[in-house]
Amino acid sequence: SLAGDAHTGAMGFTEDGEISMGTNSLIVGAVTTGTDAEGTLTLAAPTANADVVGGAIGAACGDKIKALNIAVLSHDTTLTTTVDADLINISQASGTAGTVVFEGHVDFDTGSMVINSGANATADILVQVASTINFEGAGNIATGVTNTGVLEFMTGTQAVTGPLGTTSLKLKEVIKSGCGVLTLTDHVFATTLTIDGTDAAAVTMGVAKLLTANLYFDANGGIKTGTGI
């Protein structure tokens, strides 16, 4: 464990251990593992907007870490490059909403990313996805508490390979903002899908995949469905 305000370079797992970063601790290098599906990285919630990890987590097309735990509390927690982990848990530090920003591709293979995974899920966590960023792998992006968690895809083109939400645990909202196309290859289970984009097919669904959500247009953009709503 590293206490608050600690800054460290590259870090690596040689066995299935855990690295816990304290409040306002920053990792400026990469986090790697020598064996696929080993190593847990836990990030405490910063007290101000921060780029908490500046290097890659896990290896793209290589060894993923076992788990990435991210706590949020009122501020932006930004991961500036790629994340390769079998499981991503995003939780509220004390029942207060916060934001996680992904600025690199995310791959959890057949694992999952769970928004509001903790016991303090009383407010909505916002997960923002930057331009040209993809969520790869067949794993699910879900919520620990139904009708909580907001997933916003910012201006630019993005793609998600796996399903969003489940039949019993729906995300509160999925948003496509600005120009560009969001491609959703699998089923979508959310309370609301908001299209705040401007492209004719701002959201493009996969063939024979269901959109189970209320559809709200907040701009002139459109949606291309794969089978039905």
Side-chain angles (χ1 to χ4, degrees):
S1 298
L2 296 178
D5 298 320
H7 293 227
T8 181
M11 308 175 74
F13 293 98
T14 57
E15 57 184 32
D16 192 17
E18 180 176 1
I19 298 172
S20 295
M21 303 297 294
T23 302
N24 300 323
S25 294
L26 306 178
I27 302 174
V28 297
V31 179
T32 58
T33 179
T35 304
D36 190 49
E38 287 192 354
T40 297
L41 176 62
T42 298
L43 305 174
T47 58
N49 296 343
D51 296 343
V52 294
V53 182
I57 299 174
C61 302
D63 293 332
K64 299 176 178 63
I65 68 169
K66 179 180 180 179
L68 171 63
N69 301 317
I70 306 170
V72 297
L73 179 64
S74 303
H75 303 288
D76 292 358
T77 295
T78 299
L79 306 175
T80 62
T81 184
T82 57
V83 175
D84 289 85
D86 284 339
L87 178 64
I88 302 172
N89 289 310
I90 303 174
S91 60
Q92 296 165 12
S94 61
T96 301
T99 300
V100 176
V101 181
F102 289 101
E103 294 185 343
H105 293 302
V106 180
D107 188 354
F108 36 79
D109 198 15
T110 57
S112 62
M113 181 173 79
V114 183
I115 305 171
N116 278 353
S117 65
N120 294 317
T122 58
D124 287 309
I125 293 172
L126 172 63
V127 176
Q128 289 184 325
V129 185
S131 175
T132 71
I133 301 309
N134 298 329
F135 283 93
E136 301 168 349
N140 179 264
I141 299 176
T143 177
V145 179
T146 194
N147 195 35
T148 65
V150 178
L151 186 59
E152 181 178 14
F153 296 86
M154 309 302 288
T155 294
T157 298
Q158 300 100 348
V160 180
T161 303
L164 301 183
T166 68
T167 54
S168 59
L169 292 170
K170 295 181 179 180
L171 293 167
K172 181 176 182 178
E173 189 174 15
V174 178
I175 305 169
K176 173 54 187 169
S177 298
C179 63
V181 175
L182 167 62
T183 300
L184 301 174
T185 305
D186 213 315
H187 302 299
V188 176
F189 301 95
T191 302
T192 304
L193 171 62
T194 297
I195 297 178
D196 194 19
T198 55
D199 286 75
V203 174
T204 299
M205 297 289 300
V207 175
K209 300 302 179 182
L210 292 174
L211 170 60
T212 304
N214 298 309
L215 186 57
Y216 176 68
F217 292 94
D218 199 24
N220 291 326
I223 182 171
K224 179 181 179 182
T225 62
T227 181
I229 297 176

